């Protein structure tokens, strides 16, 4: 909304003003009109997915960016899935290559991406540890984390455990702290960051 970090302007989000005037990416709703080339959906279908300007009452989306909403999922539930869940899935599978039996540490386990990452890692058969604040301990545990670390009381890097895969969603841990907690052949995936200044903001990488 403020055009920061400034790197976003160079990347095509709009140099002097937002390229997309209406914010929002995640979308869920009922199809009210379709283009002549659309074959997968019809008017009245309940869908969810990605659409620019989804905070508006009506939003236009590409056919390949939508999927049918499951009947047992509300619009509110479906609307929070696309970006956060896809980010978690990409971090775990495409980059982290999570496998059954691995030990996985998720830093920022109670946020939008983190809550999906905990559930997905558990579904893949990993032994999951989650880092979060005191009020969120039970939430992260209920999502499937075998071990929950309260970052207000203990430092995950001071423990004896070494992990096959670390997902740092907060992006605020130093590489030296992450390496200290990683197995020799392990992988660190930095999903994003909450700091980093007005020029580059948070970080993302492997």
């Amino acid at each position: 909304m403020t055009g920061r970090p400034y790197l976003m302007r160079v990347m095509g989000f709009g140099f002097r003003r937002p390229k997309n005037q209406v914010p929002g990416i995640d979308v869920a709703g009922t199809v009210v009109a379709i283009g002549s080339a659309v074959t997968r959906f019809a008017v009245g279908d309940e869908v969810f997915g990605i659409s620019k300007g989804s905070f508006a009452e009506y939003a236009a989306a590409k056919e390949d960016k939508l999927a049918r909403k499951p009947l047992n999922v509300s619009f509110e539930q479906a609307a929070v899935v696309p970006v956060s869940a896809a980010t978690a899935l990409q971090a775990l599978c495409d980059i982290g290559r999570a496998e059954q039996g691995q030990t996985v540490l998720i830093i920022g386990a109670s946020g939008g991406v983190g809550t999906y990452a905990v559930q997905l890692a558990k579904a893949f058969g990993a032994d999951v540890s989650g880092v979060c604040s005191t009020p969120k301990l039970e939430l992260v545990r209920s999502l499937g984390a075998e071990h929950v670390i309260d970052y207000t009381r203990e430092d995950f890097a001071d423990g004896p455990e070494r992990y096959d895969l670390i997902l740092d969603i907060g992006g605020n841990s130093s590489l030296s702290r992450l390496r200290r907690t990683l197995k020799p052949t392990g992988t660190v995936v930095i999903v994003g960051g909450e700091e980093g200044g007005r020029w580059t903001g948070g970080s993302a990488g492997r």
Side-chain angles (χ1 to χ4, degrees):
M1 296 298 293
T2 62
R4 297 181 180 179
Y6 293 135
L7 180 62
M8 293 178 60
R9 304 187 185 200
V10 180
M11 293 172 61
F13 287 86
F15 193 77
R16 293 184 179 275
R17 61 182 59 86
K19 183 174 291 185
N20 297 315
Q21 297 296 315
V22 180
I25 298 177
D26 297 282
V27 69
T30 303
V31 176
V32 296
I34 60 173
S36 59
V38 173
T39 59
R40 293 175 55 222
F41 303 109
V43 173
D45 287 346
E46 297 182 346
V47 298
F48 73 110
I50 294 174
S51 168
K52 293 180 180 178
S54 63
F55 286 3
E57 185 175 356
Y58 292 92
K62 295 182 178 180
E63 183 179 19
D64 61 354
K65 299 296 183 180
L66 297 175
R68 293 185 185 277
K69 183 183 72 67
L71 295 177
N72 62 340
V73 174
S74 69
F75 285 115
E76 291 80 5
Q77 292 170 327
V80 299
V81 171
V83 173
S84 293
T87 301
L89 189 63
Q90 184 180 37
L92 283 169
C93 297
D94 298 347
I95 303 174
R97 298 179 181 177
E99 298 179 359
Q100 184 175 0
Q102 286 186 329
T103 52
V104 177
L105 175 68
I106 300 172
I107 305 170
S110 62
V113 176
T115 51
Y116 284 109
V118 170
Q119 296 175 80
L120 289 168
K122 180 68 176 180
F124 296 153
D127 183 282
V128 182
S129 296
V131 180
C132 61
S133 61
T134 307
K136 304 296 180 62
L137 294 176
E138 288 306 315
L139 167 65
V140 175
R141 190 174 287 112
S142 71
L143 295 175
E146 284 85 2
H147 316 282
V148 182
I149 302 171
D150 184 347
Y151 68 76
T152 67
R153 298 182 179 180
E154 57 182 314
D155 187 343
F156 67 85
D158 291 338
E161 186 66 47
R162 297 296 177 265
Y163 301 93
D164 296 296
L165 174 61
I166 299 177
L167 263 61
D168 184 4
I169 301 168
N172 301 324
S173 300
S174 66
L175 288 177
S176 60
R177 289 179 68 227
L178 295 172
R179 287 195 187 102
R180 217 162 62 229
T181 316
L182 195 66
K183 291 182 179 180
T185 58
T187 300
V188 172
V189 180
I190 301 175
V191 179
E194 299 173 354
E195 298 179 357
R198 59 185 181 179
W199 288 99
T200 60
S203 57
R206 178 185 182 190

